Amino acid sequence: MDCEEIRKIIDAYIDGELELSSIQTVEEHLRGCTKCSEYHERIIAVGNAIRKEGRYLPPPHLHTRIQARLLEVADVKPWRPILKNWLVFGAPSLVFGLLLMVSLVFLFKTTTRDTQFQQEVISSHVRSLMLDHLTDIASSDQHTVKPWFNGKLNFSPPVEDYTRAGFPLVGARLDYLQHHPAAALVYRHRQHTINLFILPSIEQKDIKTKTYQAIQQGYQLLHWTKAGLAYWVVSDLNLADMQDFSALIQGKRN
Amino acid sequence: MLPDDKLNRFERLILPHLGAAYNLARHMTGNDQDAQDVVQEAYIRAFKAFDSFSNVNSAGWILTIVRNTCYTRLKRNQSAQPMESFNEDLHMNEAVPLGSATGFKQPTPEELVITDANQKIVRQAVAALPIGYREVIILREFEGLSYREIGKIVGIPIGTVMSRLARARKHLQHSLAGIDHKVG
């Protein structure tokens, strides 16, 4: 084989794609030919350089994010009240008794679920403050942040920047509260970080703002629902400032 | 398959290829944000299609989905300028001389020197490759896939895999001249 023919199969030789007889032919030629030998080494060196320097590593939270989305796609559905099924049969007193019992169960489950949810909100807040996980998109421009959620959520969260009122928008990320995908909008007020979580609400009516305090951990939560969306504000900010912020979000103040 | 079993199995077999998936997507789309979106989208799609996965060659399976998702995204991003499909003949005719016929001097391996800018140079050199060459060189050099596997992912015959690799390597030799790449 001459050099030109060898060069045609040298890639296959390097990549281990040649059958034995051809391998021997190539090796014989390389032993006796400096030009082809150098050519061979250059190709190997290119591969080495690519492998050594060219790899991009995924950002650390990509893995977690994908796992969470898989969970969502796999099966997890929000808990729904079973109240309806109990109303169908039975004598009035029995119905009343059952109704009472189920309401209590419902209330209990709701309360436990609410507490779990509040804890989850705080945990998400704390996790986000750790390095590299505060925002997936860092921008104060609501016209950049709002469309970023397209295709990532099945609802469109309202996004606004409140820099003039002292609450600049820092950015946003996709987050999960008990496996429900949520928009997490990040704001700052002086040195405090605020997470505003927005996700679809199963409540039929709007709920007025409620305050929860996790005294031991030093965080406060405000929660309300409006027009089918649930809002959770969490921060270590003082209550008065948090209430100001909530009023801004709810459009009660400019 | 029960939902739990399916998810567990998917996580066990497919999630480990996340690094390879991201690397491929990052090189193909050219930026981190698109790469992350592509990988996420590809994994969801893969999970939904997991019942049709034949249990063989999980890397090839997920990387095919990632590669196709990249192309969809690239087409979408360039909707103002429609992306031309890779023209084999056009690129084949780019003459790359055997020796120094055009005056280009090939460096000997000994002439090469280590620089710190290597990472940037290497990444830019790969990024400068036409996408049809880029995807095969990535699948070959980073993932060590066989010509047959690469052909399956990209949808081309083995001979075409080899010729694209050869072309890609010739391009890269020119761009990477001056970088140390010790053999072995």
Side-chain angles (χ1 to χ4, degrees), chain A residues 174-191:
Chain A
L174 196 59
D175 210 323
Y176 296 84
L177 297 173
Q178 298 210 319
H179 308 309
H180 303 308
L185 307 182
V186 184
Y187 292 85
R188 199 151 277 150
H189 183 66
R190 308 217 183 93
Q191 305 295 34

Side-chain angles (χ1 to χ4, degrees), chain A residues 3-4 7-9 11-12 14-15 17 35 38-39 41-51 53-59 61-63 65-67 69-71 73-75 136 148 152 174, chain B residues 3 7 10-11 15 18 22-23 26-27 32-33 36-37 39-40 43-44 47-48 98 106-109 118-119 122-123 137 140-143 146-147 162 165-166 169-170 172-173 181-184:
Chain A
C3 290
E4 193 165 334
R7 303 266 175 122
K8 285 200 182 118
I9 58 173
D11 294 273
I14 289 170
D15 296 329
E17 299 272 346
K35 264 200 142 62
E38 282 177 4
Y39 183 80
E41 290 197 355
R42 273 197 303 274
I43 295 186
I44 290 182
V46 163
N48 289 345
I50 290 178
R51 274 184 297 275
E53 310 281 4
R55 182 180 288 277
Y56 287 104
L57 294 174
H61 57 270
L62 183 63
H63 194 274
R65 190 144 55 98
I66 289 183
Q67 271 187 309
R69 282 231 56 196
L70 289 173
L71 254 172
V73 174
D75 194 26
D136 285 336
W148 181 83
K152 298 181 175 73
L174 196 59
Chain B
L7 183 57
F10 186 85
E11 289 195 338
L15 214 45
L18 185 64
Y22 178 80
N23 189 43
R26 178 63 183 81
H27 277 287
D32 173 60
Q33 193 59 59
Q36 289 194 46
D37 289 349
V39 171
Q40 191 165 293
Y43 265 80
I44 303 298
F47 182 71
K48 289 179 177 168
L98 198 63
Q106 309 272 14
T108 64
N118 282 359
Q119 192 182 70
V122 168
R123 286 176 175 177
I137 201 83
R140 175 60 217 158
E141 300 293 4
F142 285 116
E143 306 309 325
S146 71
Y147 288 7
M162 187 162 88
L165 273 174
R169 282 164 170 162
K170 288 199 171 100
L172 289 168
Q173 276 183 59
H181 33 77
K182 289 199 279 284
V183 175

Side-chain angles (χ1 to χ4, degrees), chain A residues 216-254:
Chain A
Q216 283 154 340
Q217 294 163 292
Y219 295 106
Q220 297 183 107
L221 290 88
L222 294 179
H223 167 58
W224 69 90
T225 68
K226 188 175 173 191
L229 290 178
Y231 297 76
W232 293 86
V233 181
V234 52
S235 179
D236 59 350
L237 204 53
N238 67 76
L239 188 58
D241 285 342
M242 277 185 72
Q243 284 169 337
D244 279 349
F245 178 69
S246 303
L248 279 172
I249 304 290
Q250 294 182 59
K252 292 174 181 162
R253 226 167 279 183
N254 285 323

Side-chain angles (χ1 to χ4, degrees), chain B residues 93-132:
Chain B
N93 287 333
E94 292 164 8
V96 183
L98 198 63
S100 48
T102 59
F104 177 79
K105 181 183 180 295
Q106 309 272 14
T108 64
E110 290 74 29
E111 284 172 345
L112 310 162
V113 168
I114 298 174
T115 69
D116 266 333
N118 282 359
Q119 192 182 70
K120 194 171 172 211
I121 293 174
V122 168
R123 286 176 175 177
Q124 278 176 352
V126 173
L129 292 172
I131 196 163

Side-chain angles (χ1 to χ4, degrees), chain A:
Chain A
M1 266 199 196
D2 65 12
C3 290
E4 193 165 334
E5 284 167 345
I6 292 286
R7 303 266 175 122
K8 285 200 182 118
I9 58 173
I10 199 121
D11 294 273
Y13 168 70
I14 289 170
D15 296 329
E17 299 272 346
L18 284 187
E19 71 278 12
L20 195 57
S21 57
S22 302
I23 293 176
Q24 287 168 343
T25 312
V26 172
E27 286 182 343
E28 257 179 52
H29 181 98
L30 290 180
R31 273 195 283 273
C33 175
T34 328
K35 264 200 142 62
C36 284
S37 191
E38 282 177 4
Y39 183 80
H40 167 252
E41 290 197 355
R42 273 197 303 274
I43 295 186
I44 290 182
V46 163
N48 289 345
I50 290 178
R51 274 184 297 275
K52 184 163 174 256
E53 310 281 4
R55 182 180 288 277
Y56 287 104
L57 294 174
H61 57 270
L62 183 63
H63 194 274
T64 331
R65 190 144 55 98
I66 289 183
Q67 271 187 309
R69 282 231 56 196
L70 289 173
L71 254 172
E72 180 214 341
V73 174
D75 194 26
V76 184
K77 288 183 171 36
W79 182 85
R80 296 219 183 281
I82 52 172
L83 192 62
K84 279 188 260 183
N85 297 335
W86 294 71
L87 287 176
V88 181
F89 303 110
S93 56
L94 187 60
V95 169
F96 180 79
L98 284 172
L99 198 61
L100 188 64
M101 203 173 77
V102 167
S103 307
L104 289 172
V105 170
F106 179 55
L107 190 65
F108 175 74
K109 277 196 168 159
T110 313
T111 314
T112 317
R113 184 166 61 99
D114 267 357
T115 318
Q116 281 177 350
F117 206 86
Q118 290 160 36
Q119 193 54 52
E120 176 96 19
V121 171
I122 294 177
S123 302
S124 287
H125 175 71
V126 172
R127 257 201 314 274
S128 76
L129 298 179
M130 296 178 193
L131 211 61
D132 203 25
H133 199 218
L134 190 58
T135 59
D136 285 336
I137 177 137
S139 169
S140 300
D141 179 14
Q142 64 205 48
H143 302 295
T144 303
V145 173
K146 188 174 160 81
W148 181 83
F149 285 106
N150 289 350
K152 298 181 175 73
L153 293 172
N154 60 0
F155 66 98
S156 189
V159 181
E160 259 194 76
D161 173 47
Y162 301 103
T163 304
R164 274 181 315 162
F167 294 90
L169 173 67
V170 169
R173 70 181 182 281
L174 196 59
D175 210 323
Y176 296 84
L177 297 173
Q178 298 210 319
H179 308 309
H180 303 308
L185 307 182
V186 184
Y187 292 85
R188 199 151 277 150
H189 183 66
R190 308 217 183 93
Q191 305 295 34
H192 300 268
T193 303
I194 306 171
N195 265 297
L196 168 62
F197 295 99
I198 307 178
L199 66 164
S201 167
I202 59 171
E203 306 292 343
Q204 309 282 38
K205 288 187 296 188
D206 290 352
I207 294 180
K208 284 212 175 66
T209 312
K210 291 184 195 164
T211 310
Y212 305 99
Q213 287 174 316
I215 296 176
Q216 283 154 340
Q217 294 163 292
Y219 295 106
Q220 297 183 107
L221 290 88
L222 294 179
H223 167 58
W224 69 90
T225 68
K226 188 175 173 191
L229 290 178
Y231 297 76
W232 293 86
V233 181
V234 52
S235 179
D236 59 350
L237 204 53
N238 67 76
L239 188 58
D241 285 342
M242 277 185 72
Q243 284 169 337
D244 279 349
F245 178 69
S246 303
L248 279 172
I249 304 290
Q250 294 182 59
K252 292 174 181 162
R253 226 167 279 183
N254 285 323

